[in-house]
Amino acid sequence: MEDPSKVCEGRFVQALRICSIAALAVFATGTACDNARLFTGHYPSEWPAGLFDIKNSTTATNMVKNGTLSQPALPAMADLAWFCFFAHEVLGGLFAFPVLYLWEVVRQVELKRRVPQAVDVLLRVCCGVSCVVILVGLTCFVKDTVNGGGLRRLEYNPSLQAWSLKSTTQNPLALIGVFYSSAVWIVVACLLCYARCNIWFLVVNLVCFFGQAASEAAGDYKLVSSNLLEQVALWSLLGVSYQYARVVSTVTVGFKNIDTQ
């Protein structure tokens, strides 16, 4: 008869793996949609006729409200914007799961330095906190973004010569999930640096975190720099996962133990 604690352990790791795959799918799709919004924002055919002649965000937004100017010509533009806002404001807390799963796998390998058991407990608590953060994000998204007027504010970027749809009402907790997940990434990166002497993953995540926090300094190019750093962070996670996939020979998730080399 199997040990009940090992059965629970297997189920937990299995659920964490599923959440991680979902998070990576949302992360990659959201980043691709952000890039698509920047790309299609250059093309007049995707927007109401005459919009590129105005080149003034306030005037264009007022014209949309008054009915003088229609919404973007293609519904896909609005769909892209809604998905990006939903992914950032609601599902940001989901992005913590991939690094939490990564640590669950890595800690099964012989570590160069032992980590206190309290650290593992704390990281598992982070899984529950992620769910709370997602619920908070969903509440604020419905309250401020959906019920606050939706995405009806047009914004023109003169440097990029591109238009984009923005939220009519500012959501004060729009990035709570993203910043929470970024903090978890840095914590796990610190643990990998300490326990496995992996320095590069920590350096990359610190650069991405502080770079995105300081993206306002890039002015009109802040979205470009922010999207670029998002992609760097994503590829760094894939890189470190591949690195440890070579260390861990087989990872059997479910009711069996995790076998290592």
Side-chain angles (χ1 to χ4, degrees), residues 42-199:
H42 292 274
Y43 294 94
S45 60
E46 309 293 332
W47 299 90
L51 182 62
F52 277 78
D53 296 328
I54 300 173
K55 296 183 179 181
N56 183 284
S57 302
T58 304
T59 302
T61 299
N62 290 334
M63 291 177 71
V64 169
K65 291 180 180 179
N66 298 333
T68 309
L69 197 66
S70 64
Q71 287 280 14
L74 292 181
M77 290 301 302
D79 293 340
L80 277 176
W82 275 111
F83 179 81
C84 290
F85 272 80
F86 181 80
H88 282 86
E89 297 185 11
V90 179
L91 301 180
L94 190 68
F95 303 150
F97 284 112
V99 290
L100 292 173
Y101 175 69
L102 173 65
W103 178 252
E104 283 292 329
V105 174
V106 171
R107 77 185 186 91
Q108 305 297 327
V109 185
E110 183 180 355
L111 302 177
K112 296 181 180 179
R113 293 177 183 171
R114 301 307 304 172
V115 176
Q117 186 67 28
V119 173
D120 292 331
V121 175
L122 179 61
L123 290 180
R124 293 195 173 197
V125 170
C126 286
C127 295
V129 175
S130 295
C131 297
V132 173
V133 170
I134 291 173
L135 289 176
V136 172
L138 177 60
T139 302
C140 294
F141 176 76
V142 173
K143 175 179 174 291
D144 297 314
T145 304
V146 177
N147 295 335
L151 306 182
R152 294 179 59 83
R153 181 168 64 87
L154 289 166
E155 184 176 281
Y156 183 69
N157 188 315
S159 299
L160 299 177
Q161 297 183 355
W163 283 94
S164 61
L165 276 174
K166 299 291 183 179
S167 175
T168 305
T169 305
Q170 185 67 30
N171 181 353
L173 296 178
L175 297 179
I176 182 175
V178 173
F179 278 107
Y180 165 76
S181 294
S182 297
V184 174
W185 280 48
I186 291 175
V187 169
V188 173
C190 289
L191 288 172
L192 291 176
C193 182
Y194 174 80
R196 294 287 302 176
C197 299
N198 186 316
I199 300 176

Side-chain angles (χ1 to χ4, degrees), residues 179 182 185-186 201-215 225-226 228-236:
F179 278 107
S182 297
W185 280 48
I186 291 175
F201 186 60
L202 174 60
V203 172
V204 170
N205 274 275
L206 287 174
V207 170
C208 291
F209 179 78
F210 289 108
Q212 286 189 296
S215 60
S225 62
S226 179
L228 176 61
L229 291 172
E230 275 188 11
Q231 292 170 77
V232 171
L234 176 61
W235 282 106
S236 72

